[in-house]
Amino acid sequence: MCLGVPGQVVEVNGLVASVDFWGVRREVRLDIVDQPVEPGDYILNHVGFAIRKIPAEEIEETLALYEELLQAAESDMMSADVHGELEATAPEGDGHD
Amino acid sequence: MTSVGTSKISGQAKELKFRDPAQARALSARLAGLCDEIGRESVQVMHVCGSHEQAIARYGLRAVLPKTLDLIMGPGCPVCVTDMPEVDEAVVLAVDGALIATYGDMVRVPGTAKSLADAASEGARVEVVYSASQAVELARSCEAEVVFFATGFETTAVATAAIVLQDDLPPNFSILSAHKYVPPAMEIVARIPETRVEGFLAAGHAATITGWGLFEDFVDRYGLPVVVAGFEPLDILAGLVRLVELIRDGQAKVENMYPRCVTREGNTVAQDQMWRVFRTASGMWRGIADIPNGNLRLREEFAHLDARARFDIDTRRLRAHVPSKLTERCICGTIMSGLALPTDCELFGKECDPENPVGACMVSSEGTCKIWHQYGGHPEL
C-alpha cells in the first residue's frame, strides 16, 4: 500500500486521466497530482490517484522494477501489491468527474 | 482531448539496470568498508516501510550486507499499527448493519473480540476495495450506509482527502479514519531508551507526498540521519551506503537518494488537501505506544462524513472479551519498535502463519512477519 505504480497518460478529461499501464487502459484521478499532466506524460498512481508526474528522463529507471514484478508469480506478495494498485484504478468509462 | 500513440510502458521489459550485479557488489563492498571504518560490533539502521521490507526480503539484500550492519523494519505497516479499538469500531458498525468497505489487508486483522472477516462470516457486510473511489461507488449502488474504513499512511490519506473534498458524495457514504502519520512514530522509536537505531531509511513514495524537507526537524531534534530511498534493490543499497556514511561521519542530516520521485517540498497540492481534511490526533499504535499526533482524524467541518460523528459506535460490548492466550504471546509491537525480529517470536511459523495469523504483522502484506514468512528475512550468511 506504499508502492505507487507508474503509467503513461493517454487522455485527460478534467480531473480524470486515461492511463496506459503496460497495455491496459485505466482511469486515474488527477485531484492531487503535483503538476498539470498531458497525454504522453508519466504519472505515479497510488490507490487510484496520480501522486506525481514523473519526469520523462527518469521514467526508464522507474519502470524496470515494476516490469519484473508484473511478470512474477501470482502468489508473490510484492507483485500482488502492484496488481492491487492497478485494481485501484477505474475501468475506462467508470471515472466520475 | 488528444491521444498519444505508442507507449514505452507497452513495450518490452527494459533491462533491469538497477539489478546490475556488479553495481550491487560494489555497493556491498562499500558498505563493508564503511562498517569496518566505524569498527563497532554492530550498526543498526531502521526503515519504516512495508514495501522496503518486501524488496529487501524478496531480493535477499540482507545477505549482501556486512554482518555488523543490522537493517531492521520499524513501524512501517499501517494495517499492523491500527489499534484493536479502531478495528472494534469497524466491527460494531458492520454488526449494526453498515456495509464496511476497506482495503483487503484490514479484513482479517483481529479486533478485541473479532475481525471484520469474523463479522462477515456471521452475516455482516464487508467489502474489499482497492481505492476510496470504489467505496464511494458502492454507496452509490446501494441503499445501505457505506462506511469506508480508511487505513494507510500519508500516501493513502491524501487519496481519502481528495474523496472527502468531492462535492457529489452520496448521502449514505461516510469514513472511519484509521489513517496514520509516520513522522511522530519515528520520534517515538528514536526515544525508546533501549533503541540502538542510528539512522533511518525513509520511504520513497511517502516522501513523494511529504517531501524530504519534512525530516529536517526530526534530524535536528534527535541527531539521527535520515536518507530517502527508492524501492529498487540498488536504490536501497545506495541509500544504505549514504546512511552509513553519515553515521560514520557523525553527520545528522537528511539526504535524498530518490530524486526521481522525491523533492524537498513534496507534493504540495496533495499536502494542502490532506491538511484541509485531516487533523492529527494522539492515540495508540497497536502494540507500540501512544503516539502523539500519530493518527489522522477528519476535521470538525467534515463531521457529516465522519462515521465517528454520525453514528453512536459503542464498542464496550466487545471489551468484555478476554484475549486468547496466543494473542498475549504475540510480539508484533516489539518487532515494530525495532527491538525484536519475527524469528524471535515463539509463535512465528508455528501457531502463527498467514493462514492463521495471531497478530496483524502476519496478516498484512506490509507486515514484517508475513513478509519474512513468504520470502525469508535474514538469510544465513
Side-chain angles (χ1 to χ4, degrees), chain B residues 282-336:
Chain B
S282 303
M284 272 303 289
W285 281 32
R286 189 186 194 115
I288 301 179
D290 193 294
I291 311 258
N293 299 315
N295 291 325
L296 295 172
R297 296 286 185 257
L298 288 176
R299 288 184 185 277
E300 185 75 23
E301 67 175 291
F302 301 105
H304 59 289
L305 290 171
D306 189 346
R308 291 190 178 92
R310 223 153 107 161
F311 306 103
D312 178 22
I313 312 174
D314 183 359
T315 57
R316 276 174 302 185
R317 61 184 129 137
L318 299 177
R319 278 190 226 141
H321 181 87
V322 181
S324 78
K325 288 275 183 270
L326 278 183
T327 307
E328 284 174 6
R329 285 158 62 200
C330 168
I331 63 164
C332 270
T334 318
I335 294 168
M336 289 188 289

Side-chain angles (χ1 to χ4, degrees), chain B residues 160-218:
Chain B
T160 305
I163 290 295
V164 167
L165 294 172
Q166 285 182 10
D167 52 16
D168 60 344
L169 293 173
N172 57 335
F173 175 77
S174 61
I175 292 167
L176 179 68
S177 172
H179 282 302
K180 308 285 176 212
Y181 188 51
V182 175
M186 287 168 61
E187 295 192 31
I188 289 294
V189 169
R191 270 192 248 156
I192 295 175
E194 59 270 46
T195 191
R196 296 191 293 118
V197 174
E198 295 181 52
F200 283 90
L201 207 61
H205 290 169
T208 297
I209 302 289
T210 60
W212 60 261
L214 177 80
F215 298 110
E216 288 180 324
D217 184 46
F218 170 83

Side-chain angles (χ1 to χ4, degrees), chain A residues 31-46:
Chain A
D31 310 52
I32 51 173
V33 72
D34 57 336
Q35 293 170 50
V37 299
E38 21 181 275
D41 288 342
Y42 285 84
I43 54 94
L44 190 65
N45 157 64
H46 180 59

Side-chain angles (χ1 to χ4, degrees), chain B residues 64-275:
Chain B
V64 303
L65 301 183
K67 278 183 185 168
T68 50
L69 180 60
D70 188 10
L71 169 62
I72 57 169
M73 172 166 169
C77 167
V79 167
C80 307
V81 299
T82 301
D83 203 19
M84 280 202 191
E86 292 174 300
V87 177
D88 291 347
E89 288 177 298
V91 166
V92 164
L93 285 167
V95 169
D96 288 351
L99 189 163
I100 299 291
T102 191
Y103 295 117
D105 277 356
M106 240 10 260
V107 173
R108 292 174 67 215
V109 173
T112 305
K114 58 181 92 173
S115 65
L116 282 168
D118 298 331
S121 72
E122 293 160 15
R125 294 169 73 189
V126 178
E127 295 278 345
V128 169
V129 292
Y130 291 93
S131 71
S133 309
Q134 289 170 358
V136 173
E137 290 313 310
L138 267 176
R140 281 207 176 92
S141 68
C142 74
E143 301 279 301
E145 283 288 340
V146 172
V147 178
F148 177 49
F149 186 26
T151 62
F153 293 140
E154 297 86 297
T155 5
T156 313
V158 292
T160 305
I163 290 295
V164 167
L165 294 172
Q166 285 182 10
D167 52 16
D168 60 344
L169 293 173
N172 57 335
F173 175 77
S174 61
I175 292 167
L176 179 68
S177 172
H179 282 302
K180 308 285 176 212
Y181 188 51
V182 175
M186 287 168 61
E187 295 192 31
I188 289 294
V189 169
R191 270 192 248 156
I192 295 175
E194 59 270 46
T195 191
R196 296 191 293 118
V197 174
E198 295 181 52
F200 283 90
L201 207 61
H205 290 169
T208 297
I209 302 289
T210 60
W212 60 261
L214 177 80
F215 298 110
E216 288 180 324
D217 184 46
F218 170 83
V219 163
D220 287 345
R221 275 192 288 152
Y222 295 92
L224 297 172
V226 174
V227 172
V228 178
F231 300 95
E232 272 282 345
L234 293 191
D235 283 336
I236 293 172
L237 289 177
L240 285 171
V241 165
R242 190 63 197 120
L243 187 57
V244 177
E245 280 173 354
L246 292 171
I247 291 170
R248 178 201 59 185
D249 299 340
Q251 263 192 305
K253 59 187 287 203
V254 190
E255 291 256 344
N256 179 18
M257 295 292 284
Y258 196 39
R260 65 185 189 274
C261 276
V262 179
T263 59
R264 184 172 196 278
E265 58 286 347
N267 179 341
T268 54
V269 175
Q271 288 168 34
D272 287 348
Q273 296 198 19
M274 186 173 98
W275 294 123

Side-chain angles (χ1 to χ4, degrees), chain B residues 343-354:
Chain B
T343 43
D344 294 330
C345 179
E346 57 185 19
L347 305 177
F348 181 75
K350 301 186 185 101
E351 289 92 337
C352 181
D353 64 20

